[in-house]
């Protein structure tokens, strides 16, 4: 799919939207709110369609590239809002803080997407370890799995998440 997207065409765009539209919309909704999320999501896919030749599958995932476009559009939106707000009330919010908040929201979504792609058992082990703060032994008992299996699932799952996140940042 990703290699086909780089070739362009309406069908490739439709497939990309079907596969990643929800992810992009969720990211936009969490950063700019529901009222602007649809507009920015639409603009993301319009830009992606126009600049499909800039997508390089060997440098990262299509989801990561689309989130990158969304981040840029959101930063542009907030910069414009900031200029207008400064004119109205004279308050200042640093661009670094704003970009950091947007970056954090994007990272959270990319992590969630990477976790979603894991096999269910690995996803469950990671969730119990890092979200529920259980020890390896507690996870093994809860899931009725050997301790070595829990450790292996955790190591392999985190490595897969890391690879997906690294490919999204290239």
């Amino acid at each position: 799919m990703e290699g086909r997207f780089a070739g362009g065409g309406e069908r490739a765009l439709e497939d990309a939207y079907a596969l990643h539209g929800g992810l992009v919309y969720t990211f936009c909704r969490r950063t700019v709110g529901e009222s602007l999320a649809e507009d920015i999501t639409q603009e993301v896919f319009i830009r992606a369609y126009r600049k499909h030749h800039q997508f390089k599958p060997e440098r990262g995932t299509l989801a990561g590239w689309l989130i990158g476009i969304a981040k840029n559009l959101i930063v542009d939106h907030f910069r414009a809002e900031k200029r207008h707000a400064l004119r109205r009330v004279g308050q200042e919010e640093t661009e670094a803080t704003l970009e950091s908040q947007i970056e954090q929201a994007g990272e959270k979504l990319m992590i969630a997407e990477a976790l979603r792609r894991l096999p269910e058992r690995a996803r469950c082990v990671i969730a119990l370890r890092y979200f529920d703060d259980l020890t390896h032994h507690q996870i093994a008992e809860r899931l009725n799995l050997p301790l070595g299996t829990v450790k292996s699932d955790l190591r392999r799952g985190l490595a897969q998440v890391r690879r997906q996140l690294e490919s999204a940042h290239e």
Side-chain angles (χ1 to χ4, degrees):
M1 160 63 213
E2 296 190 351
R4 196 175 77 222
F5 181 82
E10 286 184 33
R11 183 67 187 155
L13 179 66
E14 290 171 5
D15 291 345
Y17 184 81
L19 192 59
H20 301 297
L23 174 70
V24 172
Y25 174 77
T26 300
F27 172 65
C28 292
R29 189 183 75 232
R30 289 183 181 176
T31 53
V32 297
E34 211 169 310
S35 62
L36 292 171
E38 286 184 22
D39 292 340
I40 293 177
T41 299
Q42 182 179 11
E43 183 62 28
V44 166
F45 284 93
I46 289 170
R47 283 200 184 175
Y49 180 74
R50 289 180 182 152
K51 298 182 178 205
H52 65 88
H53 59 281
Q54 292 178 356
F55 171 65
K56 306 291 183 219
E58 65 275 4
R59 293 183 60 208
T61 65
L62 181 57
W65 187 68
L66 293 168
I67 291 294
I69 293 171
K71 285 179 191 177
N72 291 336
L73 287 169
I74 291 167
V75 167
D76 290 347
H77 168 76
F78 280 120
R79 283 181 180 154
E81 284 294 312
K82 178 184 168 192
R83 284 191 299 273
H84 296 300
L86 287 174
R87 286 186 207 129
R88 289 191 299 260
V89 291
Q91 294 178 341
E92 234 178 273
E93 181 178 332
T94 65
E95 281 188 28
T97 301
L98 181 60
E99 289 181 26
S100 173
Q101 291 170 344
I102 293 169
E103 187 69 29
Q104 287 175 358
E107 288 296 322
K108 287 177 184 177
L109 246 62
M110 293 305 295
I111 290 169
E113 177 67 14
L115 288 171
R116 186 187 65 76
R117 292 180 179 195
L118 290 176
E120 177 146 358
R121 190 174 76 193
R123 183 173 50 247
C124 184
V125 168
I126 290 172
L128 289 171
R129 176 66 187 103
Y130 292 100
F131 300 138
D132 294 346
D133 202 27
L134 297 182
T135 66
H136 295 132
H137 291 287
Q138 290 169 326
I139 296 168
E141 287 176 12
R142 182 172 288 183
L143 299 179
N144 197 27
L145 292 171
L147 181 60
T149 301
V150 168
K151 290 179 179 182
S152 295
D153 283 351
L154 188 61
R155 183 177 29 79
R156 280 192 299 264
L158 290 174
Q160 187 175 344
V161 168
R162 185 180 316 111
R163 281 191 303 275
Q164 289 182 38
L165 293 176
E166 287 171 353
S167 71
H169 285 90
E170 292 180 348

